[in-house]
Amino acid sequence: MNRSEIVRIQERIGTLGDGFWGPMSIAACQKHLKSMMPSPHPFPVEGTPDFLAFFGKHGDKEYGPPSQKITLPFTIYYGDKPVKSLWVHEKCADSLLRVFKRLASVYPDEASRRAAGILTYNGLYNPRLKRNSLNSWSMHAWMNAIDINAGRNGNKTSWPVNATMPLEVMECFAQEGWLSAGAFWGRDAMHFQATAPL
């Protein structure tokens, strides 16, 4: 993002609009998104016993988590393939559907959705380990994480300095309790997961 876009984000989250994204802006952004999350939080913290009790076993080659199909309020695209529905862990399926309904309200037409990057879908369920890990499973293995617009918001791309995921998209997810990787670990802004912040 350019400096004026960063200033706009800073003003929206209630911190000094100087165009410099440092510790004060990061803390203000996380506080802003946490303030939008439901209380009590609907999802457990990643990696805790509560997480395993809530979501159960991760998927692997022989097992898939209990899932529910949701029909999206607008079509998204996996490459050139239109996607009109998603299979999501049953414990967060209704929540993700509400996220997409919020996105449809904030971005009411295809042009605004395309500009925000939310029409580019990059996957949800993937029973794999985290990158560079020998024993820690990705949230995608539980079918409770989704990637959107990876080309502009990659794993190693810092947000918001280089990545383009709009804060308004993060807000739609936060209102349903989903964590935005871009805001909470400063990169991988394509990634949203149904877990509580620490």
Side-chain angles (χ1 to χ4, degrees):
M1 294 185 190
N2 62 39
R3 182 173 178 170
S4 64
E5 290 170 320
I6 293 173
V7 168
R8 186 190 66 81
I9 291 173
Q10 290 172 320
E11 290 171 348
R12 188 172 178 94
I13 63 176
T15 192
L16 178 65
D18 60 2
F20 173 72
W21 195 259
M24 288 178 59
S25 295
I26 292 167
C29 187
Q30 291 175 2
K31 180 179 178 183
H32 172 75
L33 293 175
K34 285 178 182 178
S35 75
M36 296 181 152
M37 293 180 178
S39 181
H41 200 283
F43 306 117
V45 174
E46 176 183 353
T48 63
D50 288 343
F51 177 89
L52 293 175
F54 185 85
F55 283 111
K57 184 182 182 313
H58 60 75
D60 56 33
K61 292 180 181 178
E62 298 174 1
Y63 168 80
S67 62
Q68 179 180 323
K69 184 179 181 180
I70 61 171
T71 301
L72 301 174
F74 57 89
T75 302
I76 56 179
Y77 297 88
Y78 188 79
D80 293 333
K81 179 183 175 186
V83 176
K84 298 183 179 188
S85 61
L86 297 171
W87 285 95
V88 188
H89 195 291
E90 65 182 13
K91 293 286 185 78
C92 59
D94 291 341
S95 175
L96 185 60
L97 178 57
R98 289 191 297 269
V99 169
F100 272 92
K101 287 179 178 178
R102 291 177 191 278
L103 290 169
S105 177
V106 172
Y107 302 102
D109 54 54
E110 185 162 344
S112 63
R113 293 168 191 157
R114 190 171 305 284
I118 61 172
L119 297 181
T120 304
Y121 168 62
N122 298 106
L124 196 151
Y125 180 54
N126 188 356
R128 63 168 176 82
L129 294 169
K130 289 183 178 180
R131 291 178 183 88
N132 303 316
S133 174
L134 298 176
N135 57 14
S136 183
W137 286 83
S138 165
M139 290 296 99
H140 291 285
W142 275 273
M143 209 179 281
N144 69 342
I146 186 170
D147 290 342
I148 299 172
N149 198 10
R152 303 292 304 275
N153 300 279
N155 180 42
K156 295 183 179 178
T157 305
S158 64
W159 184 88
V161 176
N162 299 108
T164 63
M165 185 61 65
L167 177 65
E168 291 79 1
V169 173
M170 297 177 176
E171 290 172 343
C172 289
F173 277 92
Q175 289 171 61
E176 284 296 324
W178 290 61
L179 271 186
S180 163
F184 284 89
W185 47 89
R187 58 176 181 78
D188 201 15
M190 65 176 150
H191 180 86
F192 300 88
Q193 62 185 50
T195 59
L198 291 172

